Amino acid sequence: MLARATVPMLCYHRIREFTEQDGPASRSLTCPPELLERHLRTLTGAGLQPVSSTQLVDHVEFGTTLPPRPVVISFDDASAGHFTNALPILQRLSMPAIFFVMTVVLDKPDWLSRDQVHQLDRAGMTIGVHTWDHHPVTGYGDADWATQLQAPKTELEQIVGHGLDLFAYPYGAWNTAALPHVQQAGYRAAFQLSDQPVDPQQPLLALRRLLMSSDWDEQALLSRLPA
């Protein structure tokens, strides 16, 4: 499995235009819709083929075949632009993606509504779990595992009407002590960010993603992906 856990997976956050209130850190994690579409068209123009997160996990776990040069698209946190801006682009380009949702923000201004999460699922996108309120798993006490891993999974499953088994670590942060809890909560796979190696014993619970930046143009994006 470790040898197959090399498919690039891109991690976007807010998909909207910049505002005057955005500082440098916020701008880096904010991708204007036009830039997102340019990025995605660049991927396919360079011969990369978007696949779903489930296809990726099946490949890592079972060795199922993927097309040449696969890539996975993901979005974190549940900001409103995932539905209003990202989904139409993905549909226009016929690309799958996974949306990792933290549930504390649902139905609040500038965040996804529960109905939009349901519609994303109905549109063929994958819904993943991103905790209740985005606290990193590396600081959890005993009571936090149920609150942050199990309760949001149950809530999102009720929204979409079926089981969910993919999880993304807030801030990409994880440690080996968290892995049994992630597994016990019913997750088949979990995703970090690319600053740590995949866990050699349980690679499915620490699959790597590439944190995207609005500072990257098309060539900068391609330079960070396998040739």
Side-chain angles (χ1 to χ4, degrees):
M1 286 194 289
L2 193 62
R4 294 192 293 268
T6 56
V7 175
M9 186 172 185
L10 311 186
C11 174
Y12 289 93
H13 284 77
R14 294 178 292 272
I15 308 300
R16 60 164 173 78
E17 302 297 340
F18 299 131
T19 69
E20 292 181 356
Q21 289 73 39
D22 289 328
S26 178
R27 286 177 68 94
S28 179
L29 293 178
T30 300
C31 183
E34 183 270 340
L35 177 60
L36 174 65
E37 183 156 358
R38 279 171 37 209
H39 275 182
L40 298 184
R41 289 187 181 276
T42 295
L43 295 176
T44 56
L48 284 96
Q49 301 188 60
V51 299
S52 73
S53 50
T54 300
Q55 286 177 284
L56 166 63
V57 174
D58 285 346
H59 172 71
V60 175
E61 185 171 10
F62 304 121
T64 55
T65 301
L66 293 178
R69 301 198 68 196
V71 63
V72 182
I73 312 299
S74 69
F75 299 86
D76 278 13
D77 297 348
S79 59
H82 292 175
F83 183 82
T84 57
N85 296 324
L87 178 61
I89 294 170
L90 293 165
Q91 291 178 316
R92 186 158 59 246
L93 301 180
S94 299
M95 292 185 178
I98 181 168
F99 293 81
F100 288 106
V101 175
M102 60 174 174
T103 53
V104 71
V105 300
L106 293 179
D107 290 328
K108 295 183 178 179
D110 300 322
W111 299 95
L112 291 178
S113 69
R114 286 170 171 81
D115 182 64
Q116 287 172 334
V117 172
H118 179 72
Q119 290 187 58
L120 284 168
D121 178 78
R122 291 291 297 273
M125 302 299 153
T126 303
I127 302 300
V129 183
H130 200 38
T131 72
W132 176 58
D133 67 354
H134 210 269
H135 276 65
V137 303
T138 50
Y140 288 179
D142 290 343
D144 294 316
W145 300 107
T147 300
Q148 299 286 358
L149 270 66
Q150 295 172 357
K153 181 177 185 292
T154 298
E155 180 176 358
L156 289 168
E157 288 175 337
Q158 291 171 345
I159 291 171
V160 301
H162 59 79
L164 301 174
D165 59 6
L166 302 181
F167 175 77
Y169 299 101
Y171 308 103
W174 65 284
N175 54 26
T176 54
L179 301 188
H181 296 281
V182 174
Q183 195 168 44
Q184 289 165 15
Y187 295 104
R188 178 187 179 198
F191 298 85
Q192 56 157 319
L193 292 174
S194 57
D195 55 342
Q196 295 187 67
V198 174
D199 184 85
Q201 302 302 317
Q202 300 186 82
L204 279 174
L205 297 183
L207 295 171
R208 300 173 76 188
R209 295 187 297 161
L210 177 64
L211 180 63
M212 300 299 294
S213 171
S214 63
D215 297 328
W216 298 351
D217 63 13
E218 293 90 331
Q219 290 307 310
L221 169 60
L222 291 179
S223 71
R224 289 165 170 82
L225 300 176

